[in-house]
Amino acid sequence: QLVEKYKTDLYTNAYLEQLVKTRVDTTVTKEELKQYYEENKTNFRTNGQLVKLRYIKAPLEHQKLKEIKERFFNPKKSDKSFWDTYLVQLNSVALNDSVWVDMNQIYQRISFITPDNANEYIQSGKNYEHKEGESIYYVKIKSVLPTNEISPFEYIEPTVKQVILNKRKLDFIKQKEKEITEDAIKNNKYEIYE
């Protein structure tokens, strides 16, 4: 009986999963995301610091090192062709300082920043250079968001989307289970276990 019940449960779950895949709308508009975020933003707090920054790790012997430094710390829109040419020659790069990143990503990419010394380096508006072996880092910190603050929408958007989709799936499953139960009661095809 247990084996048969287990088999039935597996079929039921597989059927429900297939129904969810084919019937639940997976389109989530930007407006829905923002509305859910605004209504629930206190639930989306940062687990650690978030940072907006840009950095470059370049070889100390690079022929254009002086120009790289100048263009890095004083960027202009006209620098695009310069970066298109020289980015591939650099060891590691992140020039998009409009994206929030988690501190763990910084620890992985900027080796001299560690959990022990992060407070020294990670400060809003701080610019610095750091030599390490045969390379030099240029770092420009735009913004820092401390731990336990409300996460910015741009950072948490994928999570909000997943929450909305999971809620839709659960609501759909509950509705199907309710319909099945009501149908069984109506047709007198149910058993009560005690």
Side-chain angles (χ1 to χ4, degrees):
Q1 281 181 330
L2 284 173
V3 170
E4 285 303 313
K5 181 170 177 6
Y6 181 66
K7 206 155 115 181
T8 303
D9 288 346
L10 283 176
Y11 285 134
T12 304
N13 288 335
Y15 176 70
L16 275 174
E17 275 184 42
Q18 198 57 36
L19 274 179
V20 164
K21 283 181 188 174
T22 57
R23 303 259 174 94
V24 174
D25 183 9
T26 56
T27 305
V28 184
T29 66
K30 199 73 145 176
E31 291 76 30
E32 286 177 282
L33 291 169
K34 285 185 178 177
Q35 181 181 348
Y36 189 89
Y37 171 78
E38 288 300 325
E39 291 170 358
N40 300 282
K41 68 166 76 173
T42 56
N43 296 330
F44 299 112
R45 296 202 169 267
T46 57
N47 292 331
Q49 279 187 325
L50 298 180
V51 183
K52 283 184 177 181
L53 82 161
R54 53 198 320 247
Y55 79 92
I56 285 178
K57 181 181 180 186
L60 276 169
E61 301 300 318
H62 195 286
Q63 63 199 21
K64 296 275 189 179
L65 190 62
K66 188 175 179 184
E67 189 174 356
I68 287 170
K69 178 181 176 180
E70 175 61 30
R71 289 179 188 253
F72 176 80
F73 285 113
N74 303 299
K76 297 178 182 81
K77 288 189 180 193
S78 59
D79 290 342
K80 186 180 176 340
S81 61
F82 175 84
W83 291 121
D84 287 346
T85 304
Y86 291 103
L87 278 182
V88 293
Q89 298 174 10
L90 305 175
N91 302 7
S92 185
V93 179
L95 294 177
N96 187 357
D97 62 4
S98 64
V99 175
W100 290 101
V101 293
D102 183 88
M103 283 300 297
N104 290 324
Q105 289 179 307
I106 294 170
Y107 299 144
Q108 290 171 5
R109 295 184 181 181
I110 306 176
S111 59
F112 67 91
I113 298 177
T114 66
D116 295 331
N117 67 15
N119 289 341
E120 178 185 337
Y121 291 105
I122 305 299
Q123 298 170 21
S124 291
K126 187 165 184 174
N127 302 333
Y128 52 88
E129 54 186 86
H130 179 88
K131 288 181 185 171
E132 186 177 75
E134 300 297 312
S135 301
I136 188 163
Y137 285 91
Y138 299 124
V139 182
K140 192 170 187 167
I141 309 289
K142 184 176 179 182
S143 304
V144 178
L145 190 66
T147 303
N148 206 27
E149 292 292 319
I150 293 173
S151 295
F153 175 75
E154 317 84 60
Y155 181 77
I156 205 75
E157 185 177 352
T159 304
V160 173
K161 182 177 182 180
Q162 202 55 54
V163 168
I164 290 171
L165 290 175
N166 287 343
K167 186 177 180 323
R168 283 183 189 171
K169 289 174 185 177
L170 285 173
D171 290 346
F172 178 82
I173 289 169
K174 283 179 187 172
Q175 181 60 36
K176 283 294 162 204
E177 287 172 348
K178 183 180 173 191
E179 288 172 10
I180 290 168
T181 305
E182 287 172 354
D183 188 52
I185 291 170
K186 186 175 123 186
N187 295 319
N188 220 12
K189 291 184 179 179
Y190 64 93
E191 294 178 39
I192 298 174
Y193 293 94
E194 295 192 23

